[in-house]
Amino acid sequence: MQHLISLVNIVKSFGEKGKKLKVIDGVSLDVDEEFLVILGPSGCGKTTLLKIIAGVEKPDEGAIKIRSNTTYGFVFQSPTLLPWLTVLDNVALPLMAKGVSKGIAREKASKYLSLVGLHGFEDFYPHELSGGMKQRVNIARALVVEPTVLLMDEPFSQLDPLTAEALRAEILDLWLSGVTTVKAIVMVTHNVEEAVLMADRIVILTPRPAKIVKIIEVKLPRPRDRRAKEFQDIVDKVYEYVS
Ligand SMILES: Nc1ncnc2c1ncn2[C@@H]1O[C@H](COP(=O)(O)OP(=O)(O)O)[C@@H](O)[C@H]1O
Ligand SMILES: [Mg+2]
């Protein structure tokens, strides 16, 4: 079957002639119906690569092929909720921007808020929520457009460790239960253990400019036990390739 997304030899630089900063240096990658994690050090070009996949940033060279009917939901690294809108209206907003009526948009928003565990918080404002709850709203807002591909940029990096771990488990449950429209998740992180916990495949990038060093398949059954020897063996293997 055709890949969901194919990146072919993507190259991207920022800046003007003379002081050009090369950020992506020839990345080729196929994404199938899977949980794909892109792992690399801070500043290596992960966010840029995710934006290129989403089509919000154009590569200088290379091509992106996308299976027809592919649509994206994007979870940004830092919360980007509008403070003057309720939780419900923040989640309904992407649908209303597409011309969906307020009633239907709110109905869908309410459904996806329930899926991320926020039933009962529809009328709250963002400032009344904890960091973890805000990130749940962000995830609901990405899901409400019923995308086939969910792109997540370090979605747990701003959360305290316990909240992050709980949310990771919930995202995996949501993904595995198949209750959403999402066929593939592409998540960016610099956290090796998180990558091994969540991914079907881990794409390891070099420091800037990003190139692919290695792709590691993680075949451990879920839920995965961080303390298991098999888990640690894969963590060790990944560390061999990160610099
Ligand atoms: N719009 C931009 N204009 C100029 N430089 C940028 C822009 N976006 C990112 N960069 C630079 O590209 C490099 C990679 O950034 P980014 O993709 O955000 O890395 P990561 O997400 O891996 O931390 C950084 O050095 C950053 O400063
Ligand atoms: Mg980034």
Side-chain angles (χ1 to χ4, degrees), residues 137 142 185:
V137 180
I185 296 181

Side-chain angles (χ1 to χ4, degrees), residues 222-238:
R222 297 178 171 106
R224 294 174 181 163
D225 178 2
R226 285 173 181 268
R227 291 157 305 176
K229 180 173 181 306
E230 299 75 22
F231 188 97
Q232 281 307 319
D233 287 347
I234 296 175
V235 169
D236 291 345
K237 187 173 169 194
V238 172

Side-chain angles (χ1 to χ4, degrees), residues 13-69:
S13 300
F14 288 112
E16 301 294 297
K17 243 191 172 150
K19 41 179 180 177
K20 261 198 170 169
L21 185 71
K22 196 183 244 189
V23 176
I24 312 280
D25 189 12
V27 167
S28 297
L29 178 67
D30 297 323
V31 182
D32 293 305
E33 299 194 354
E34 62 180 325
F35 197 130
L36 188 80
V37 169
I38 297 174
L39 176 74
S42 286
C44 81
K46 300 184 297 299
T47 297
T48 305
L49 191 58
L50 209 56
K51 285 181 176 168
I52 287 173
I53 293 174
V56 295
E57 196 80 75
K58 292 275 163 270
D60 302 332
E61 293 172 36
I64 308 164
K65 296 177 206 154
I66 296 166
R67 200 197 286 172
S68 60
N69 301 323

Side-chain angles (χ1 to χ4, degrees), residues 25-26 68 76 85 90 109 116 119 129 135 158 167 193-195 200 216-217:
D25 189 12
S68 60
F76 298 94
L85 291 182
N90 264 288
V116 299
H119 178 64
L129 304 180
Q135 196 56 308
Q158 314 267 354
L167 203 49
E193 284 79 6
E194 175 177 287
D200 292 315
I216 292 180
E217 245 186 283

Side-chain angles (χ1 to χ4, degrees), residues 150-230:
L150 183 63
L151 305 174
M152 298 199 288
D153 192 357
E154 306 200 31
F156 313 109
S157 64
Q158 314 267 354
L159 306 174
D160 69 79
L162 294 180
T163 304
E165 195 66 354
L167 203 49
R168 286 183 193 111
E170 285 185 43
I171 293 294
L172 282 170
D173 281 349
L174 211 56
W175 160 245
L176 295 170
S177 69
V179 291
T180 70
T181 52
V182 175
K183 301 259 183 277
I185 296 181
V186 180
M187 183 179 88
V188 153
T189 186
H190 59 248
N191 182 325
V192 172
E193 284 79 6
E194 175 177 287
V196 177
L197 184 77
M198 302 187 83
D200 292 315
R201 288 194 302 153
I202 304 173
V203 178
I204 305 172
L205 301 179
T206 59
R208 194 187 67 231
K211 286 190 281 283
I212 295 176
V213 206
K214 178 79 178 170
I215 298 179
I216 292 180
E217 245 186 283
V218 187
K219 287 183 170 157
L220 299 174
R222 297 178 171 106
R224 294 174 181 163
D225 178 2
R226 285 173 181 268
R227 291 157 305 176
K229 180 173 181 306
E230 299 75 22

